[in-house]
Amino acid sequence: MLSPRYPEIRIKYAWLLANATSKPLQEYWGPNQETRSPEECEEIAQKYREFWKPYEKEVMKAMYDVIGLEYHANVIDVYVAPWFYAFSDPLVIGVIFDTQEKLVTNLTHELLHRLFMDNRSHADVKNLEEWERLFGKREFVTLVHIPVYAMMHAIFIDQLKKPEMLDNEKRETKEYKDAWEYVEKHGYKEIIEKLKNQYKK
C-alpha cells in the first residue's frame, strides 16, 4: 500500500521535457555531440527502473527510520531526460548513470532533498534559516548538502550496510567538498540528532 512514509517512485522518460530542452541544452553542453534518441532514453529509463527496484523499499524505509519524516506525496515521479544531471523539484535525472550504484546513490540524494523540502512536519521556508543556526552561515550549496550527506552516511552505512556506495557521492566542486568535510568532521550521527530536534519544533 502506498503511503507518505514509503511513497512509490515512478521513473519515466520525460519526452515532453526532452523535446522542449534538448536542442538548446545540446548547443550549450555538447554542440559536437548527438542527443540520445527517444528510443535510447526509453531504454535507459527502463534500466534505471531495474537498477532502482531492488533498493526502493529498503532506501525509503531507511529514510523514515533515520529521520522520521514523511513525504507529502504518495507517489514521486522521476523524470529522465538528456543533457541534465540531477535535481530534486521537479525530480529530473539525466541519461548518464551507467551503473546501479551510481543511479541508486544519485536518486537517493535527490529524494533526500525532496524529503527535507516537502514533508508533513515542517515548512520548507524555515530550513535555510534553521540550518544556518545549526551549521553556520555557508554557501547555499554547502548548507543544503550537509543534511543530505549526513543522511546518506546513515542510510548506506547503518541501514543498508553498503558504505562503499558513498564513494559515488564524493565530488571535487568546492561547495560539495565543504559539505562532505563538515559531515566527516562533525559526525553524521550528531548532525542527524540536531536535525531531529529541529523537526520536532
Side-chain angles (χ1 to χ4, degrees):
M1 177 180 289
L2 300 178
S3 75
R5 183 174 296 182
Y6 309 130
E8 177 187 1
I9 308 302
R10 297 192 305 195
I11 301 172
K12 59 180 80 173
Y13 168 49
W15 65 273
L16 283 172
L17 177 63
N19 285 348
T21 61
S22 288
K23 186 173 181 180
L25 287 175
Q26 178 190 17
E27 290 173 355
Y28 184 80
W29 292 112
N32 299 316
Q33 301 176 44
E34 290 186 8
T35 296
R36 305 248 192 186
S37 69
E39 292 76 18
E40 288 177 293
C41 291
E42 288 279 12
E43 290 175 3
I44 290 168
Q46 176 59 32
K47 179 60 69 175
Y48 285 177
R49 289 190 287 271
E50 293 168 3
F51 283 163
W52 176 249
K53 186 176 181 180
Y55 282 90
E56 180 172 345
K57 290 181 180 178
E58 199 173 7
V59 169
M60 303 311 289
K61 181 179 184 301
M63 285 186 191
Y64 180 79
D65 289 348
V66 171
I67 197 72
L69 296 178
E70 294 189 41
Y71 288 93
H72 269 294
N74 291 335
V75 178
I76 297 175
D77 288 321
V78 177
Y79 300 106
V80 178
W83 300 108
F84 290 94
Y85 186 73
F87 53 85
S88 59
D89 190 17
L91 208 163
V92 179
I93 55 177
V95 294
I96 57 175
F97 303 116
D98 56 356
T99 69
Q100 185 175 38
E101 292 74 19
K102 290 178 183 177
L103 183 278
V104 170
T105 52
N106 277 275
L107 183 48
T108 301
H109 178 136
E110 300 307 329
L111 285 167
L112 284 167
H113 278 305
R114 185 70 162 266
L115 178 63
F116 282 124
M117 302 308 287
D118 192 22
N119 61 74
R120 291 174 174 260
S121 303
H122 206 67
D124 66 339
V125 294
K126 298 180 180 179
N127 277 336
L128 291 180
E129 178 184 330
E130 292 177 340
W131 290 347
E132 283 186 346
R133 179 176 55 79
L134 294 178
F135 311 126
K137 289 199 173 185
R138 302 176 185 279
E139 294 285 340
F140 172 80
V141 171
T142 300
L143 188 62
V144 300
H145 281 90
I146 289 171
V148 169
Y149 285 156
M151 286 288 292
M152 292 193 75
H153 277 67
I155 290 167
F156 289 104
I157 294 172
D158 299 334
Q159 303 289 317
L160 274 65
K161 311 297 184 186
K162 293 188 175 181
E164 69 279 2
M165 290 181 71
L166 289 172
D167 290 341
N168 293 292
E169 276 297 304
K170 294 181 180 177
R171 305 184 190 182
E172 293 302 315
T173 308
K174 181 182 184 302
E175 292 86 351
Y176 291 94
K177 285 182 68 176
D178 288 348
W180 191 269
E181 289 170 2
Y182 183 96
V183 171
E184 293 195 326
K185 179 179 178 180
H186 294 271
Y188 66 91
K189 292 181 180 180
E190 178 180 327
I191 293 168
I192 288 169
E193 286 306 310
K194 290 182 178 181
L195 290 168
K196 285 181 179 178
N197 289 332
Q198 170 196 344
Y199 287 108
K200 285 178 184 176
K201 295 178 180 178

